[in-house]
Amino acid sequence: MVSVPALTVPQYRQRLFAFTALLLGASLSTSNFLMNVALGLAVVCLLWQRDCRQWKALAAHPLVWLPALMFALLALSLLTHSHAYGASMVGKYKKLLYVLPLALFFLADRRLAAHFLCGFLWANALILAISLAGGAGLATRWGISPDNPTVFKLQITQNVFMALAALVWLTRAFACHGMRRWLYGALALLAAANVLLMVQGRTGYVALVVGMGIWLLLTLRRRQRVAVIACGVVAVAMLALIPNLAMERLTLGVQQVRHCVLAPAATAYQACDNSMGQRTAFARESWRLIQQAPLLGNGAGSFWYGNAETGYSVHNPHNEYLLETVQNGLLGLALFIGWMWCCYRVAWRQPVQRRNLLVAVLCSYMACHLFNSFLLDSSEGHLFVVIAALLAGWAVMPREMADKNSHPANKRG
């Protein structure tokens, strides 16, 4: 009988780190509980490793201290303003403090970013398969409606994450050869169809079009760009002429905004009681609150829209720029924009393939912030925090290590 040698501590540690990164990527699209477990495991990994040599450099980087300052400003507003939802709002934004520990976690091993992305893509591939089956009416026993085949998350989250997964699959289709190119191309095409034609979430349309559009403009040569733009124009024309769910939802959204804007004051609430109509009403209420306290804002949880008779209330204007300005004023908005700008600066300095993908994802997020408060939302906010943590780690990484990561042998992730 041959004895199997026990795994050494470094091997155990390496496997725990890899599993944690994989679980974190997969859980974002599937389960908040698993996501919290993964975040807890990341802390355990850091305590086990006991190597925080980079923490001073990370703490001094704007990608880390800017979100921490945003959170501190929001928390301090509880001392000067009293709103019923204030403490809950601060609790939802505590994820901004995770950038530093997550950056330390991903710096422990350069392969962890690839494990994270692998988990994210495999989870979305599973969601895509179940959603396609649901759209075909094969998953009704699981409670999935063929008219809106959402799986683990709400329709907005699923559509946005599926759009980001489609973007990554598209980049891999361009980078690979042979059967792998056709496989990734098919995944990107099916994911795009799932976003545009099956799941009801117009924010996903924005994420898909902006993300893929920016990536193609950055990646393709001049003649290829012209060809892609021409194909895009033809595709839009076909969507406009041929009846389909995407154009129906876009047209309905425009009609909802119009009815809300033109409605008299006596019937304004009823006229705006729909998806895009409410967003229009949210913008008007946000502007009123911004005028009251333009510089420092009205404090955490100050936004409110609803109907006292029915008990319906919303504390989120579904626009990150408006929410930052309402709560923390122009100062808070400046910190938020500054954080986004730092993300772009670090992303632009990465190797070309990574740079193009990161800039496309950041542009997609910036566009989606116009229609949803993604930093407030759990899954979308945590994904952006992970992206910021990766960027912060790459920003402080020694030059020789960055060059090693950009070597063709390490580009599989």
Side-chain angles (χ1 to χ4, degrees):
M1 182 175 180
V2 179
S3 60
V4 179
L7 290 173
T8 63
V9 173
Q11 288 177 312
Y12 274 121
R13 181 184 301 172
Q14 184 180 18
R15 292 190 177 187
L16 178 61
F17 271 75
F19 172 75
T20 301
L22 190 71
L23 180 63
L24 182 59
S27 62
L28 289 172
S29 305
T30 56
S31 169
N32 284 346
F33 172 75
L34 291 178
M35 179 184 68
N36 291 327
V37 170
L39 291 172
L41 286 175
V43 175
V44 171
C45 290
L46 291 177
L47 294 176
W48 190 2
Q49 185 186 34
R50 297 181 182 179
D51 182 9
C52 297
R53 289 172 294 180
Q54 299 283 1
W55 78 269
K56 288 185 178 180
L58 283 169
H61 199 279
L63 282 176
V64 174
W65 63 259
L66 274 174
L69 186 57
M70 289 168 55
F71 174 80
L73 189 64
L74 191 66
L76 288 174
S77 71
L78 295 177
L79 302 177
T80 56
H81 299 82
S82 178
H83 300 289
Y85 198 72
S88 298
M89 183 64 72
V90 172
K92 289 179 179 292
Y93 273 97
K94 68 180 183 294
K95 64 175 74 74
L96 296 178
L97 301 176
Y98 297 173
V99 179
L100 178 58
L102 285 174
L104 288 171
F105 170 77
F106 283 110
L107 275 176
D109 190 334
R110 66 179 184 272
R111 294 168 294 184
L112 294 179
H115 290 312
F116 169 81
L117 184 58
C118 182
F120 181 78
L121 292 178
W122 274 107
N124 278 277
L126 174 63
I127 292 169
L128 177 61
I130 298 175
S131 185
L132 292 175
L138 303 177
T140 54
R141 68 178 66 181
W142 299 337
I144 298 177
S145 171
D147 297 327
N148 188 27
T150 56
V151 185
F152 299 114
K153 296 287 186 176
L154 297 177
Q155 59 191 34
I156 293 177
T157 302
Q158 176 173 320
N159 245 15
V160 170
F161 282 4
M162 191 62 65
L164 296 179
L167 172 60
V168 178
W169 285 325
L170 178 64
T171 64
R172 293 190 170 188
F174 272 73
C176 295
H177 301 279
M179 288 300 299
R180 294 184 67 184
R181 167 173 287 185
W182 289 104
L183 174 61
Y184 285 128
L187 284 171
L189 184 61
L190 289 173
N194 184 254
V195 170
L196 293 174
L197 304 176
M198 299 179 67
V199 178
Q200 299 175 16
R202 283 177 286 255
T203 309
Y205 304 170
V206 176
L208 183 70
V209 173
V210 173
M212 286 192 173
I214 295 296
W215 184 83
L216 289 170
L217 288 176
L218 291 173
T219 303
L220 300 181
R221 298 173 182 174
R222 184 174 180 180
R223 291 184 179 179
Q224 293 173 322
R225 293 175 190 170
V226 174
V228 168
I229 292 174
C231 291
V233 172
V234 172
V236 171
M238 291 180 63
L239 286 174
L241 295 175
I242 301 174
N244 61 84
L245 293 178
M247 288 306 301
E248 290 178 6
R249 292 166 187 161
L250 290 174
T251 303
L252 178 61
V254 173
Q255 293 174 350
Q256 290 173 348
V257 172
R258 182 174 179 274
H259 291 160
C260 179
V261 171
L262 299 178
T267 60
Y269 182 83
Q270 291 76 13
C272 298
D273 190 17
N274 48 64
S275 177
M276 295 304 297
Q278 282 192 343
R279 281 175 168 79
T280 305
F282 295 162
R284 290 191 299 203
E285 178 62 16
S286 297
W287 177 243
R288 184 187 70 81
L289 292 170
I290 292 170
Q291 289 177 311
Q292 290 181 359
L295 184 58
L296 298 178
N298 299 273
S302 55
F303 179 86
W304 184 89
Y305 177 86
N307 189 332
E309 297 180 357
T310 62
Y312 172 76
S313 63
V314 177
H315 299 279
N316 171 18
H318 288 72
N319 183 308
E320 190 65 46
Y321 307 104
L322 290 178
L323 184 58
E324 293 292 335
T325 313
V326 167
Q327 297 189 134
N328 290 330
L330 294 175
L331 176 59
L333 180 63
L335 291 175
F336 175 60
I337 298 297
W339 189 32
M340 298 298 104
W341 172 248
C342 291
C343 289
Y344 275 105
R345 286 190 63 188
V346 176
W348 194 258
R349 295 171 180 172
Q350 301 305 307
V352 175
Q353 292 184 2
R354 184 192 294 172
R355 179 200 70 189
N356 293 347
L357 177 59
L358 286 171
V359 170
V361 171
L362 290 173
C363 288
S364 182
Y365 253 94
M366 293 289 284
C368 290
H369 282 320
L370 292 169
F371 304 98
N372 284 280
S373 304
F374 272 179
L375 282 185
L376 175 66
D377 295 335
S378 179
S379 297
E380 295 91 334
H382 279 92
L383 177 58
F384 192 86
V385 165
V386 170
I387 293 172
L390 288 169
L391 290 171
W394 291 327
V396 302
M397 187 180 296
R399 175 71 64 179
E400 60 272 14
M401 184 63 70
D403 294 339
K404 187 176 181 180
N405 284 351
S406 62
H407 192 275
N410 296 320
K411 287 184 178 180
R412 290 166 54 188

mmCIF file of all heavy atoms in Angstrom, residues 247-287:
data_model
loop_
_atom_site.group_PDB
_atom_site.id
_atom_site.type_symbol
_atom_site.label_atom_id
_atom_site.label_comp_id
_atom_site.label_asym_id
_atom_site.label_seq_id
_atom_site.Cartn_x
_atom_site.Cartn_y
_atom_site.Cartn_z
ATOM 1 N N MET A 247 -37.136 46.393 -28.672
ATOM 2 C CA MET A 247 -37.684 47.667 -29.140
ATOM 3 C C MET A 247 -38.997 47.981 -28.433
ATOM 4 O O MET A 247 -39.293 49.156 -28.151
ATOM 5 C CB MET A 247 -37.902 47.613 -30.657
ATOM 6 C CG MET A 247 -36.612 47.646 -31.459
ATOM 7 S SD MET A 247 -35.528 49.044 -31.050
ATOM 8 C CE MET A 247 -36.611 50.431 -31.412
ATOM 9 N N GLU A 248 -39.787 46.970 -28.134
ATOM 10 C CA GLU A 248 -41.033 47.208 -27.396
ATOM 11 C C GLU A 248 -40.745 47.803 -26.021
ATOM 12 O O GLU A 248 -41.422 48.741 -25.589
ATOM 13 C CB GLU A 248 -41.810 45.897 -27.254
ATOM 14 C CG GLU A 248 -42.410 45.382 -28.553
ATOM 15 C CD GLU A 248 -43.131 44.055 -28.356
ATOM 16 O OE1 GLU A 248 -43.241 43.620 -27.187
ATOM 17 O OE2 GLU A 248 -43.568 43.466 -29.359
ATOM 18 N N ARG A 249 -39.727 47.265 -25.329
ATOM 19 C CA ARG A 249 -39.396 47.774 -23.996
ATOM 20 C C ARG A 249 -38.819 49.168 -24.061
ATOM 21 O O ARG A 249 -39.112 50.012 -23.208
ATOM 22 C CB ARG A 249 -38.417 46.806 -23.319
ATOM 23 C CG ARG A 249 -39.046 45.463 -22.968
ATOM 24 C CD ARG A 249 -37.997 44.429 -22.624
ATOM 25 N NE ARG A 249 -38.584 43.099 -22.452
ATOM 26 C CZ ARG A 249 -37.908 41.968 -22.512
ATOM 27 N NH1 ARG A 249 -36.599 42.000 -22.750
ATOM 28 N NH2 ARG A 249 -38.514 40.798 -22.338
ATOM 29 N N LEU A 250 -37.989 49.447 -25.072
ATOM 30 C CA LEU A 250 -37.433 50.786 -25.219
ATOM 31 C C LEU A 250 -38.524 51.800 -25.534
ATOM 32 O O LEU A 250 -38.557 52.905 -24.969
ATOM 33 C CB LEU A 250 -36.368 50.796 -26.318
ATOM 34 C CG LEU A 250 -35.056 50.059 -25.997
ATOM 35 C CD1 LEU A 250 -34.158 50.027 -27.224
ATOM 36 C CD2 LEU A 250 -34.338 50.725 -24.834
ATOM 37 N N THR A 251 -39.429 51.440 -26.431
ATOM 38 C CA THR A 251 -40.529 52.335 -26.773
ATOM 39 C C THR A 251 -41.429 52.574 -25.569
ATOM 40 O O THR A 251 -41.869 53.709 -25.311
ATOM 41 C CB THR A 251 -41.353 51.741 -27.932
ATOM 42 O OG1 THR A 251 -40.502 51.508 -29.046
ATOM 43 C CG2 THR A 251 -42.473 52.692 -28.340
ATOM 44 N N LEU A 252 -41.707 51.514 -24.828
ATOM 45 C CA LEU A 252 -42.519 51.654 -23.625
ATOM 46 C C LEU A 252 -41.849 52.574 -22.611
ATOM 47 O O LEU A 252 -42.518 53.399 -21.976
ATOM 48 C CB LEU A 252 -42.756 50.276 -22.995
ATOM 49 C CG LEU A 252 -43.548 50.249 -21.682
ATOM 50 C CD1 LEU A 252 -44.946 50.813 -21.882
ATOM 51 C CD2 LEU A 252 -43.613 48.834 -21.123
ATOM 52 N N GLY A 253 -40.524 52.464 -22.459
ATOM 53 C CA GLY A 253 -39.801 53.328 -21.528
ATOM 54 C C GLY A 253 -39.913 54.788 -21.911
ATOM 55 O O GLY A 253 -40.116 55.657 -21.041
ATOM 56 N N VAL A 254 -39.793 55.106 -23.201
ATOM 57 C CA VAL A 254 -39.927 56.489 -23.669
ATOM 58 C C VAL A 254 -41.335 57.008 -23.390
ATOM 59 O O VAL A 254 -41.531 58.156 -22.946
ATOM 60 C CB VAL A 254 -39.589 56.582 -25.165
ATOM 61 C CG1 VAL A 254 -39.890 57.969 -25.699
ATOM 62 C CG2 VAL A 254 -38.131 56.231 -25.405
ATOM 63 N N GLN A 255 -42.348 56.176 -23.630
ATOM 64 C CA GLN A 255 -43.726 56.581 -23.369
ATOM 65 C C GLN A 255 -43.966 56.822 -21.878
ATOM 66 O O GLN A 255 -44.668 57.770 -21.498
ATOM 67 C CB GLN A 255 -44.687 55.505 -23.882
ATOM 68 C CG GLN A 255 -44.700 55.364 -25.396
ATOM 69 C CD GLN A 255 -45.558 54.203 -25.859
ATOM 70 O OE1 GLN A 255 -46.008 53.377 -25.058
ATOM 71 N NE2 GLN A 255 -45.780 54.120 -27.168
ATOM 72 N N GLN A 256 -43.380 56.009 -21.029
ATOM 73 C CA GLN A 256 -43.542 56.184 -19.591
ATOM 74 C C GLN A 256 -42.942 57.503 -19.122
ATOM 75 O O GLN A 256 -43.538 58.206 -18.293
ATOM 76 C CB GLN A 256 -42.898 55.011 -18.851
ATOM 77 C CG GLN A 256 -43.634 53.703 -19.012
ATOM 78 C CD GLN A 256 -42.877 52.524 -18.409
ATOM 79 O OE1 GLN A 256 -41.701 52.629 -18.063
ATOM 80 N NE2 GLN A 256 -43.546 51.385 -18.298
ATOM 81 N N VAL A 257 -41.759 57.850 -19.630
ATOM 82 C CA VAL A 257 -41.138 59.133 -19.276
ATOM 83 C C VAL A 257 -42.007 60.289 -19.752
ATOM 84 O O VAL A 257 -42.241 61.261 -19.017
ATOM 85 C CB VAL A 257 -39.726 59.225 -19.879
ATOM 86 C CG1 VAL A 257 -39.151 60.622 -19.684
ATOM 87 C CG2 VAL A 257 -38.807 58.191 -19.265
ATOM 88 N N ARG A 258 -42.515 60.199 -20.949
ATOM 89 C CA ARG A 258 -43.333 61.276 -21.519
ATOM 90 C C ARG A 258 -44.611 61.491 -20.706
ATOM 91 O O ARG A 258 -44.975 62.619 -20.383
ATOM 92 C CB ARG A 258 -43.666 60.942 -22.968
ATOM 93 C CG ARG A 258 -44.483 62.000 -23.696
ATOM 94 C CD ARG A 258 -44.645 61.658 -25.173
ATOM 95 N NE ARG A 258 -45.442 62.661 -25.858
ATOM 96 C CZ ARG A 258 -46.777 62.644 -25.918
ATOM 97 N NH1 ARG A 258 -47.450 61.637 -25.335
ATOM 98 N NH2 ARG A 258 -47.431 63.589 -26.554
ATOM 99 N N HIS A 259 -45.290 60.398 -20.363
ATOM 100 C CA HIS A 259 -46.533 60.526 -19.601
ATOM 101 C C HIS A 259 -46.276 61.109 -18.219
ATOM 102 O O HIS A 259 -47.076 61.903 -17.709
ATOM 103 C CB HIS A 259 -47.208 59.158 -19.474
ATOM 104 C CG HIS A 259 -47.753 58.639 -20.765
ATOM 105 N ND1 HIS A 259 -48.032 57.297 -20.987
ATOM 106 C CD2 HIS A 259 -48.065 59.270 -21.921
ATOM 107 C CE1 HIS A 259 -48.488 57.140 -22.203
ATOM 108 N NE2 HIS A 259 -48.507 58.315 -22.811
ATOM 109 N N CYS A 260 -45.156 60.739 -17.611
ATOM 110 C CA CYS A 260 -44.826 61.255 -16.282
ATOM 111 C C CYS A 260 -44.540 62.750 -16.332
ATOM 112 O O CYS A 260 -44.987 63.511 -15.472
ATOM 113 C CB CYS A 260 -43.645 60.498 -15.714
ATOM 114 S SG CYS A 260 -43.122 61.045 -14.077
ATOM 115 N N VAL A 261 -43.780 63.190 -17.353
ATOM 116 C CA VAL A 261 -43.413 64.595 -17.463
ATOM 117 C C VAL A 261 -44.628 65.471 -17.749
ATOM 118 O O VAL A 261 -44.758 66.575 -17.197
ATOM 119 C CB VAL A 261 -42.339 64.773 -18.555
ATOM 120 C CG1 VAL A 261 -42.096 66.245 -18.857
ATOM 121 C CG2 VAL A 261 -41.040 64.097 -18.140
ATOM 122 N N LEU A 262 -45.544 65.002 -18.589
ATOM 123 C CA LEU A 262 -46.684 65.809 -19.010
ATOM 124 C C LEU A 262 -47.879 65.716 -18.069
ATOM 125 O O LEU A 262 -48.835 66.474 -18.229
ATOM 126 C CB LEU A 262 -47.121 65.386 -20.422
ATOM 127 C CG LEU A 262 -46.071 65.554 -21.534
ATOM 128 C CD1 LEU A 262 -46.626 65.060 -22.858
ATOM 129 C CD2 LEU A 262 -45.634 67.011 -21.643
ATOM 130 N N ALA A 263 -47.835 64.837 -17.085
ATOM 131 C CA ALA A 263 -48.995 64.652 -16.202
ATOM 132 C C ALA A 263 -49.190 65.861 -15.302
ATOM 133 O O ALA A 263 -48.225 66.444 -14.806
ATOM 134 C CB ALA A 263 -48.798 63.406 -15.351
ATOM 135 N N PRO A 264 -50.439 66.284 -15.070
ATOM 136 C CA PRO A 264 -50.704 67.377 -14.127
ATOM 137 C C PRO A 264 -50.365 66.949 -12.699
ATOM 138 O O PRO A 264 -50.279 65.759 -12.394
ATOM 139 C CB PRO A 264 -52.208 67.640 -14.298
ATOM 140 C CG PRO A 264 -52.752 66.374 -14.873
ATOM 141 C CD PRO A 264 -51.664 65.787 -15.709
ATOM 142 N N ALA A 265 -50.209 67.930 -11.811
ATOM 143 C CA ALA A 265 -49.781 67.650 -10.451
ATOM 144 C C ALA A 265 -50.749 66.730 -9.719
ATOM 145 O O ALA A 265 -50.340 65.898 -8.904
ATOM 146 C CB ALA A 265 -49.611 68.957 -9.681
ATOM 147 N N ALA A 266 -52.051 66.858 -9.997
ATOM 148 C CA ALA A 266 -53.050 66.063 -9.274
ATOM 149 C C ALA A 266 -52.922 64.568 -9.561
ATOM 150 O O ALA A 266 -53.232 63.740 -8.703
ATOM 151 C CB ALA A 266 -54.456 66.549 -9.629
ATOM 152 N N THR A 267 -52.451 64.213 -10.740
ATOM 153 C CA THR A 267 -52.352 62.796 -11.124
ATOM 154 C C THR A 267 -50.905 62.379 -11.382
ATOM 155 O O THR A 267 -50.663 61.355 -12.016
ATOM 156 C CB THR A 267 -53.195 62.529 -12.379
ATOM 157 O OG1 THR A 267 -52.709 63.348 -13.458
ATOM 158 C CG2 THR A 267 -54.669 62.833 -12.125
ATOM 159 N N ALA A 268 -49.952 63.159 -10.899
ATOM 160 C CA ALA A 268 -48.547 62.897 -11.200
ATOM 161 C C ALA A 268 -48.092 61.561 -10.632
ATOM 162 O O ALA A 268 -47.375 60.810 -11.301
ATOM 163 C CB ALA A 268 -47.675 64.025 -10.655
ATOM 164 N N TYR A 269 -48.504 61.233 -9.405
ATOM 165 C CA TYR A 269 -48.034 59.989 -8.795
ATOM 166 C C TYR A 269 -48.516 58.779 -9.585
ATOM 167 O O TYR A 269 -47.762 57.860 -9.855
ATOM 168 C CB TYR A 269 -48.514 59.898 -7.350
ATOM 169 C CG TYR A 269 -48.024 58.652 -6.644
ATOM 170 C CD1 TYR A 269 -46.755 58.626 -6.074
ATOM 171 C CD2 TYR A 269 -48.805 57.499 -6.582
ATOM 172 C CE1 TYR A 269 -46.286 57.478 -5.438
ATOM 173 C CE2 TYR A 269 -48.345 56.344 -5.961
ATOM 174 C CZ TYR A 269 -47.085 56.344 -5.387
ATOM 175 O OH TYR A 269 -46.619 55.211 -4.783
ATOM 176 N N GLN A 270 -49.795 58.787 -9.967
ATOM 177 C CA GLN A 270 -50.341 57.665 -10.727
ATOM 178 C C GLN A 270 -49.712 57.567 -12.111
ATOM 179 O O GLN A 270 -49.418 56.475 -12.610
ATOM 180 C CB GLN A 270 -51.865 57.798 -10.860
ATOM 181 C CG GLN A 270 -52.639 57.612 -9.572
ATOM 182 C CD GLN A 270 -52.556 58.826 -8.657
ATOM 183 O OE1 GLN A 270 -52.109 59.905 -9.077
ATOM 184 N NE2 GLN A 270 -52.998 58.656 -7.412
ATOM 185 N N ALA A 271 -49.469 58.725 -12.757
ATOM 186 C CA ALA A 271 -48.892 58.722 -14.098
ATOM 187 C C ALA A 271 -47.448 58.234 -14.091
ATOM 188 O O ALA A 271 -46.968 57.672 -15.080
ATOM 189 C CB ALA A 271 -48.970 60.115 -14.709
ATOM 190 N N CYS A 272 -46.765 58.433 -12.979
ATOM 191 C CA CYS A 272 -45.356 58.035 -12.886
ATOM 192 C C CYS A 272 -45.174 56.679 -12.218
ATOM 193 O O CYS A 272 -44.030 56.288 -11.927
ATOM 194 C CB CYS A 272 -44.566 59.085 -12.102
ATOM 195 S SG CYS A 272 -44.544 60.727 -12.846
ATOM 196 N N ASP A 273 -46.256 55.965 -11.959
ATOM 197 C CA ASP A 273 -46.184 54.702 -11.234
ATOM 198 C C ASP A 273 -45.795 53.551 -12.169
ATOM 199 O O ASP A 273 -46.577 52.631 -12.427
ATOM 200 C CB ASP A 273 -47.525 54.413 -10.559
ATOM 201 C CG ASP A 273 -47.430 53.243 -9.585
ATOM 202 O OD1 ASP A 273 -46.294 52.894 -9.216
ATOM 203 O OD2 ASP A 273 -48.483 52.687 -9.208
ATOM 204 N N ASN A 274 -44.573 53.619 -12.713
ATOM 205 C CA ASN A 274 -44.014 52.578 -13.570
ATOM 206 C C ASN A 274 -42.501 52.748 -13.567
ATOM 207 O O ASN A 274 -41.967 53.669 -12.937
ATOM 208 C CB ASN A 274 -44.589 52.659 -14.990
ATOM 209 C CG ASN A 274 -44.563 54.067 -15.548
ATOM 210 O OD1 ASN A 274 -43.489 54.627 -15.746
ATOM 211 N ND2 ASN A 274 -45.731 54.653 -15.778
ATOM 212 N N SER A 275 -41.814 51.870 -14.264
ATOM 213 C CA SER A 275 -40.356 51.818 -14.178
ATOM 214 C C SER A 275 -39.685 53.139 -14.553
ATOM 215 O O SER A 275 -39.021 53.775 -13.726
ATOM 216 C CB SER A 275 -39.825 50.693 -15.078
ATOM 217 O OG SER A 275 -38.412 50.657 -15.074
ATOM 218 N N MET A 276 -39.827 53.588 -15.780
ATOM 219 C CA MET A 276 -39.164 54.800 -16.229
ATOM 220 C C MET A 276 -39.858 56.047 -15.709
ATOM 221 O O MET A 276 -39.206 57.086 -15.496
ATOM 222 C CB MET A 276 -39.099 54.828 -17.757
ATOM 223 C CG MET A 276 -38.241 53.733 -18.356
ATOM 224 S SD MET A 276 -36.545 53.719 -17.719
ATOM 225 C CE MET A 276 -35.948 55.302 -18.288
ATOM 226 N N GLY A 277 -41.151 55.967 -15.485
ATOM 227 C CA GLY A 277 -41.860 57.108 -14.913
ATOM 228 C C GLY A 277 -41.372 57.420 -13.512
ATOM 229 O O GLY A 277 -41.166 58.587 -13.146
ATOM 230 N N GLN A 278 -41.166 56.373 -12.707
ATOM 231 C CA GLN A 278 -40.653 56.595 -11.359
ATOM 232 C C GLN A 278 -39.246 57.168 -11.387
ATOM 233 O O GLN A 278 -38.909 58.029 -10.565
ATOM 234 C CB GLN A 278 -40.677 55.284 -10.571
ATOM 235 C CG GLN A 278 -42.059 54.904 -10.065
ATOM 236 C CD GLN A 278 -42.007 53.769 -9.058
ATOM 237 O OE1 GLN A 278 -41.003 53.055 -8.950
ATOM 238 N NE2 GLN A 278 -43.089 53.582 -8.330
ATOM 239 N N ARG A 279 -38.416 56.696 -12.306
ATOM 240 C CA ARG A 279 -37.067 57.262 -12.402
ATOM 241 C C ARG A 279 -37.124 58.754 -12.721
ATOM 242 O O ARG A 279 -36.297 59.543 -12.234
ATOM 243 C CB ARG A 279 -36.256 56.514 -13.458
ATOM 244 C CG ARG A 279 -35.691 55.181 -12.971
ATOM 245 C CD ARG A 279 -35.007 54.428 -14.083
ATOM 246 N NE ARG A 279 -34.217 53.306 -13.599
ATOM 247 C CZ ARG A 279 -34.698 52.124 -13.243
ATOM 248 N NH1 ARG A 279 -36.021 51.915 -13.328
ATOM 249 N NH2 ARG A 279 -33.902 51.161 -12.811
ATOM 250 N N THR A 280 -38.085 59.161 -13.541
ATOM 251 C CA THR A 280 -38.260 60.580 -13.837
ATOM 252 C C THR A 280 -38.678 61.339 -12.587
ATOM 253 O O THR A 280 -38.149 62.427 -12.296
ATOM 254 C CB THR A 280 -39.315 60.763 -14.935
ATOM 255 O OG1 THR A 280 -38.949 59.994 -16.086
ATOM 256 C CG2 THR A 280 -39.443 62.218 -15.336
ATOM 257 N N ALA A 281 -39.614 60.764 -11.829
ATOM 258 C CA ALA A 281 -40.038 61.391 -10.582
ATOM 259 C C ALA A 281 -38.894 61.424 -9.564
ATOM 260 O O ALA A 281 -38.739 62.399 -8.817
ATOM 261 C CB ALA A 281 -41.237 60.637 -10.008
ATOM 262 N N PHE A 282 -38.082 60.381 -9.521
ATOM 263 C CA PHE A 282 -36.922 60.353 -8.627
ATOM 264 C C PHE A 282 -35.967 61.507 -8.950
ATOM 265 O O PHE A 282 -35.422 62.152 -8.052
ATOM 266 C CB PHE A 282 -36.164 59.033 -8.751
ATOM 267 C CG PHE A 282 -36.934 57.823 -8.303
ATOM 268 C CD1 PHE A 282 -36.543 56.552 -8.700
ATOM 269 C CD2 PHE A 282 -38.054 57.937 -7.487
ATOM 270 C CE1 PHE A 282 -37.235 55.425 -8.283
ATOM 271 C CE2 PHE A 282 -38.753 56.818 -7.071
ATOM 272 C CZ PHE A 282 -38.342 55.555 -7.475
ATOM 273 N N ALA A 283 -35.748 61.754 -10.244
ATOM 274 C CA ALA A 283 -34.828 62.815 -10.653
ATOM 275 C C ALA A 283 -35.354 64.182 -10.221
ATOM 276 O O ALA A 283 -34.583 65.037 -9.758
ATOM 277 C CB ALA A 283 -34.620 62.770 -12.168
ATOM 278 N N ARG A 284 -36.663 64.397 -10.353
ATOM 279 C CA ARG A 284 -37.235 65.678 -9.934
ATOM 280 C C ARG A 284 -37.118 65.872 -8.431
ATOM 281 O O ARG A 284 -36.778 66.963 -7.953
ATOM 282 C CB ARG A 284 -38.703 65.758 -10.374
ATOM 283 C CG ARG A 284 -38.884 65.897 -11.881
ATOM 284 C CD ARG A 284 -40.280 66.231 -12.285
ATOM 285 N NE ARG A 284 -41.243 65.207 -11.890
ATOM 286 C CZ ARG A 284 -42.421 65.022 -12.481
ATOM 287 N NH1 ARG A 284 -42.768 65.794 -13.504
ATOM 288 N NH2 ARG A 284 -43.233 64.082 -12.076
ATOM 289 N N GLU A 285 -37.407 64.830 -7.661
ATOM 290 C CA GLU A 285 -37.295 64.932 -6.205
ATOM 291 C C GLU A 285 -35.831 65.115 -5.794
ATOM 292 O O GLU A 285 -35.535 65.877 -4.853
ATOM 293 C CB GLU A 285 -37.870 63.672 -5.558
ATOM 294 C CG GLU A 285 -37.779 63.621 -4.045
ATOM 295 C CD GLU A 285 -38.540 64.732 -3.357
ATOM 296 O OE1 GLU A 285 -39.395 65.378 -3.998
ATOM 297 O OE2 GLU A 285 -38.270 64.955 -2.158
ATOM 298 N N SER A 286 -34.911 64.451 -6.473
ATOM 299 C CA SER A 286 -33.492 64.612 -6.166
ATOM 300 C C SER A 286 -33.041 66.044 -6.408
ATOM 301 O O SER A 286 -32.305 66.620 -5.592
ATOM 302 C CB SER A 286 -32.656 63.652 -7.022
ATOM 303 O OG SER A 286 -32.965 62.305 -6.733
ATOM 304 N N TRP A 287 -33.474 66.628 -7.514
ATOM 305 C CA TRP A 287 -33.097 68.005 -7.814
ATOM 306 C C TRP A 287 -33.613 68.968 -6.749
ATOM 307 O O TRP A 287 -32.918 69.908 -6.361
ATOM 308 C CB TRP A 287 -33.617 68.394 -9.186
ATOM 309 C CG TRP A 287 -33.340 69.818 -9.563
ATOM 310 C CD1 TRP A 287 -34.247 70.801 -9.809
ATOM 311 C CD2 TRP A 287 -32.049 70.423 -9.735
ATOM 312 N NE1 TRP A 287 -33.622 71.972 -10.121
ATOM 313 C CE2 TRP A 287 -32.259 71.768 -10.080
ATOM 314 C CE3 TRP A 287 -30.740 69.948 -9.624
ATOM 315 C CZ2 TRP A 287 -31.219 72.664 -10.319
ATOM 316 C CZ3 TRP A 287 -29.696 70.831 -9.850
ATOM 317 C CH2 TRP A 287 -29.938 72.163 -10.193
#
